[in-house]
Amino acid sequence: MASTNQILIFLLAACFLFSGCGRQEPAAASSLPTTALSKAQAEIDKAPDQPLAYSNLAMLFMKEARKTGDFSLNEKAGSAVYRALELSPDDIPARKLAASLHLAYHRFQDALEAAKKLRSELPNDAFAYGVLTDAYMELGEYPEAVESAQRMVDLKPNTASYSRVAQLRVLHGDHKGAIEMFTQAARTADPSDNETQSWCLVQLGDELWRNGKFAEAEKAYDEAIQNYPGYFLAIAAKGKARASAGDHEAAIKFLTDAQNRVPSAETIVLLGDIYSIQGDEEKAQAQYALLEVVEKKLGSAGDQKRLALAWADHGINLDQALAIASNEFAVRKDIYTADILAWCLFKKGDLIEAKNKIDDAMRLKTNNARIIYHAGMIAKASGHKTKARTLLAAALKLNPAFDIVQAAEAKRALTELE
C-alpha cells in the first residue's frame, strides 16, 4: 500500500538532481541546519531573480521532509518552486521539482502530465522516467510503469532506478527479484547518505517481512537503525518485527518511539491493536482516534485509504470508509486501493462488487497476505468454501503475522471452514 514510504521513493530521485542543495531562512524551519539556511538565504539575496536559487531552496525542504517525516516542509518547497516558475516558467529544475511535489501530494495525473512533457523535451533524462514510473504505479497502469522503469534503469542504473524496479517486482510477486534489486539499491547508495541507505534497508526488510522471513527482516531493520540512528521508518519497522515475534512489550517501546518522532498510520494502528490484544481498550481507542486526527491534519499528503481500512477492520464508520475508498479508486486504480475498496464493500455486504474489486487487486499475483486474506474472506462469505480455505491458508503460510488482529481472524475463519 502506498503511504509515507511510497512518498519517499517519489522524492528519492529528486534528491540526486543537485549536488549542493541550497537552504532557507531559519524562521521557515528551525529544524534545518543554521549554516545551510544561511547559505540558502545568501544565494537568494545574491541572485533574487534566478530560479535556481529558489529550486535549491526547495530541494533542501524536500530532502529534509524525507529525512524527518515532516511533510509540512513540502509546502515551503512548493512556495519556492512556485517562485522559481514565476521567474521562469520553462525552467527545467523547477519543473522537475514541481513534478515531484505533485507525487508527494497525490496529484498523480498532474505528475504524469508534467513528466510526459519533460520526457518529450528531454528524452534521455532518467528523472522524467522516474516520475512516470511512480505516477503509473499509483494509477494502476503497470505495463507503462514497467516500461518507464526499464528505460530509467537503462539510462541511469543507480539507487533511484533500482528501487523502482524493486517496487515493480514486489507488485508482480517476484520476491527473489525484489530482494536482489533492493539490495542493489542499498549497495549503490551514496556512502555519505546514511538516510538513503537506511531507507533502502527498510524496504528490503519490508519485502522479507511480507514473505514471512521475520528474522532476516529484523536483521535488515537493525542494520538500518545502526546505519542511521533515530530513523523513524526503521524504528517503526523494528516495532513491527517485534510484534510479529509476539514480543509486545518491546514492540510498544519501538512503536511509541517511532510515533513520537513521526506518527504514521501503520504505526498508530499497530500500537492500538497491541493494546487491544493486551486488554487495554482505553489506550487502544486513543490510538484509533489519533489515526483520524493525524490523517485529517496531513490532508492530501496523508493516506486516507489506511483510515478507511482501519475503520473497515473494526467494523465502524463503514459508510465513510466506503466513501473514502470509492473516491480514491475513482482517481487511482492501483491494486492496493482496489483491495481496500473490496474490503469496505465486503464489510457493507456488497459481495458481488467486492469480488470484482478483489479480483482486480489480485491481478498481478502480488505476494501480499492481506490481499489474499481479504479474497479468502470474500470467498467464504460468498459460499465458495474450497476457494476460501485455499486462500486463507495461503495468506497465513505467506505471512502468519501479516496483521496481528486480522491474522487471528483468518485462523478462526479457516477453523470454521475445516
Side-chain angles (χ1 to χ4, degrees):
M1 182 184 327
S3 60
T4 301
N5 291 0
Q6 191 65 51
I7 294 173
L8 298 180
I9 269 200
F10 296 157
L11 301 181
L12 191 58
C15 289
F16 299 134
L17 286 174
F18 307 104
S19 57
C21 298
R23 320 280 169 156
Q24 213 213 60
E25 52 192 315
S30 59
S31 65
L32 301 178
T34 304
T35 54
L37 296 169
S38 299
K39 180 180 176 182
Q41 189 58 58
E43 252 189 73
I44 292 174
D45 291 343
K46 183 178 178 180
D49 296 327
Q50 293 299 314
L52 184 58
Y54 295 96
S55 291
N56 284 344
L57 171 60
M59 274 302 310
L60 166 68
F61 285 130
M62 292 170 70
K63 188 170 185 177
E64 197 68 16
R66 193 189 74 237
K67 288 173 65 176
T68 64
D70 180 3
F71 292 104
S72 67
L73 293 173
N74 283 330
E75 296 178 17
K76 302 178 189 302
S79 297
V81 170
Y82 176 80
R83 178 57 180 152
L85 291 173
E86 195 175 47
L87 291 167
S88 177
D90 295 325
D91 184 71
I92 295 296
R95 287 167 56 198
K96 287 182 175 182
L97 294 174
S100 288
L101 285 170
H102 282 318
L103 290 169
Y105 284 104
H106 297 184
R107 298 189 293 260
F108 302 119
Q109 195 61 48
D110 290 338
L112 185 63
E113 295 308 316
K116 283 181 177 179
K117 195 168 188 306
L118 284 166
R119 180 186 59 182
S120 68
E121 299 172 29
L122 305 166
N124 295 318
D125 190 319
F127 177 84
Y129 289 97
V131 177
L132 283 172
T133 302
D134 292 338
Y136 280 133
M137 279 196 285
E138 291 295 337
L139 293 169
E141 299 177 22
Y142 298 115
E144 293 83 355
V146 170
E147 184 179 346
S148 296
Q150 184 60 60
R151 180 62 175 152
M152 183 187 186
V153 80
D154 289 343
L155 288 168
K156 196 168 185 178
N158 64 0
T159 298
S161 55
Y162 292 143
S163 62
R164 285 172 169 86
V165 172
Q167 289 286 359
L168 283 163
R169 290 184 176 181
V170 169
L171 285 164
H172 287 84
D174 181 4
H175 173 59
K176 183 179 178 181
I179 293 298
E180 178 188 355
M181 282 292 99
F182 279 132
T183 302
Q184 186 74 351
R187 286 175 180 167
T188 55
D190 183 347
S192 66
D193 189 350
N194 291 347
E195 182 267 337
T196 293
Q197 287 180 326
S198 288
W199 182 89
C200 293
L201 289 168
V202 171
Q203 306 312 304
L204 172 63
D206 283 348
E207 175 59 11
L208 290 164
W209 182 86
R210 280 189 293 267
N211 286 267
K213 298 177 180 178
F214 299 140
E216 293 176 62
E218 190 161 5
K219 184 178 178 181
Y221 298 146
D222 286 338
E223 186 178 350
I225 293 172
Q226 183 178 10
N227 182 63
Y228 190 50
Y231 189 36
F232 66 98
L233 284 178
I235 294 169
K238 175 72 173 180
K240 175 179 67 178
R242 287 291 81 211
S244 300
D247 185 358
H248 289 169
E249 292 308 315
I252 289 172
K253 173 181 173 292
F254 285 107
L255 293 169
T256 301
D257 185 7
Q259 181 171 289
N260 288 339
R261 293 171 187 272
V262 181
S264 70
E266 297 293 338
T267 302
I268 292 169
V269 171
L270 179 53
L271 195 49
D273 287 346
I274 292 173
Y275 286 137
S276 182
I277 288 172
Q278 291 183 329
D280 193 337
E281 281 303 318
E282 184 176 353
K283 283 187 177 180
Q285 292 306 318
Q287 284 296 121
Y288 302 142
L290 177 62
L291 174 64
E292 187 172 354
V293 172
V294 168
E295 288 305 319
K296 284 183 177 179
K297 182 178 179 180
L298 287 173
S300 61
D303 189 8
Q304 292 293 306
K305 299 197 308 298
R306 190 60 183 84
L307 179 59
L309 175 62
W311 282 343
D313 280 347
H314 293 96
I316 61 173
N317 302 329
L318 292 180
D319 289 336
Q320 291 172 265
L322 180 57
I324 289 173
S326 298
N327 290 337
E328 285 280 305
F329 191 74
V331 296
R332 55 192 294 197
K333 294 177 172 55
D334 64 293
I335 63 166
Y336 300 113
T337 305
D339 170 54
I340 292 174
L341 178 55
W343 192 234
C344 292
L345 288 162
F346 164 72
K347 289 288 185 165
K348 285 288 292 179
D350 189 346
L351 296 180
I352 294 175
E353 196 55 33
K355 183 183 182 305
N356 289 336
K357 291 299 180 290
I358 202 64
D359 287 347
D360 190 10
M362 297 183 73
R363 70 186 188 271
L364 298 181
K365 303 186 186 307
T366 308
N367 291 332
N368 187 295
R370 188 186 298 275
I371 295 176
I372 298 169
Y373 158 65
H374 288 166
M377 294 298 282
I378 292 168
K380 179 176 180 288
S382 302
H384 304 300
K385 295 183 179 181
T386 301
K387 182 178 181 180
R389 278 196 298 268
T390 300
L391 288 167
L392 292 171
L396 291 168
K397 181 180 180 181
L398 178 63
N399 186 337
F402 68 88
D403 180 293
I404 60 173
V405 172
Q406 298 305 313
E409 291 295 325
K411 290 172 186 176
R412 277 192 286 270
L414 194 55
T415 299
E416 289 176 11
L417 288 165
E418 293 175 342

